[in-house]
Amino acid sequence: MRVFTDKKSGEQYVEIPTRAPAKMQIYAKTLAFAGGKSLKVMFREAAERFFKDEPWKQGLAWRPTKGLTTTLKDTVGQKEATGWMQVNMRFPVEIGNELERLAVEQNVSLSSLCYTMLYWWTWWVYPPASERARREAFLRKNG
């Protein structure tokens, strides 16, 4: 966790690196834009709600991150992109400390905790239209 001072506000923030599927990060940027917010503000709101809702206590499993590349099977030294990208999440210092405390308490890496939070935010709290339609169709069929 890197601590830095925001040049505009003068406030201290932490930057927590994680990885996420590129499509998920693009969707997160779209959510922030649609809400008229920066990613930093949206990540703060996601973390605050994550602490409030405690979805890990309701069955949300901690999700491991993947590497940016993977070695191709039966080849030496050849790598292939996984479709994941690095995401540097920025939070006020207090939230960063709380995330770190939760990671230690839950025995998961801070990177996995942040990815799980992003997954929860983009797939459960604000699911894409295609996922909402799939869920609605499932409920109509299975009542």
Side-chain angles (χ1 to χ4, degrees):
M1 207 168 43
R2 180 179 76 89
V3 179
F4 69 97
T5 302
D6 183 271
K7 290 177 184 171
K8 290 181 183 175
S9 68
E11 295 177 53
Q12 285 210 313
Y13 281 83
V14 296
E15 183 175 79
I16 302 173
T18 189
R19 287 183 226 101
K23 286 182 179 182
M24 181 181 289
Q25 176 61 359
I26 291 166
Y27 182 60
K29 286 181 178 182
T30 303
L31 283 174
F33 178 78
K37 304 170 187 163
S38 67
L39 270 176
K40 190 165 53 176
V41 168
M42 188 187 76
F43 288 155
R44 185 195 76 231
E45 290 174 357
E48 289 169 347
R49 183 153 171 200
F50 194 70
F51 293 132
K52 182 175 141 271
D53 291 1
E54 300 180 323
W56 63 92
K57 290 183 178 178
Q58 299 157 31
L60 178 67
W62 299 110
R63 305 181 73 81
T65 60
K66 288 187 181 178
L68 304 177
T69 61
T70 185
T71 303
L72 294 172
K73 197 174 186 177
D74 300 327
T75 62
V76 177
Q78 287 190 304
K79 298 202 177 263
E80 178 178 66
T82 60
W84 285 55
M85 63 184 290
Q86 181 159 327
V87 178
N88 295 317
M89 301 177 89
R90 294 179 172 187
F91 302 98
V93 172
E94 310 79 47
I95 290 176
N97 290 338
E98 191 67 16
L99 288 165
E100 193 170 50
R101 183 201 59 73
L102 181 60
V104 169
E105 176 187 294
Q106 295 294 314
N107 196 31
V108 296
S109 72
L110 190 53
S111 178
S112 289
L113 187 141
C114 286
Y115 167 56
T116 302
M117 182 183 69
L118 184 61
Y119 167 83
W120 169 79
W121 186 256
T122 60
W123 198 249
W124 294 105
V125 178
Y126 294 105
S130 60
E131 177 59 12
R132 286 193 310 268
R134 187 195 68 78
R135 291 176 191 177
E136 289 168 7
F138 178 84
L139 288 174
R140 278 194 303 274
K141 182 179 177 185
N142 298 305

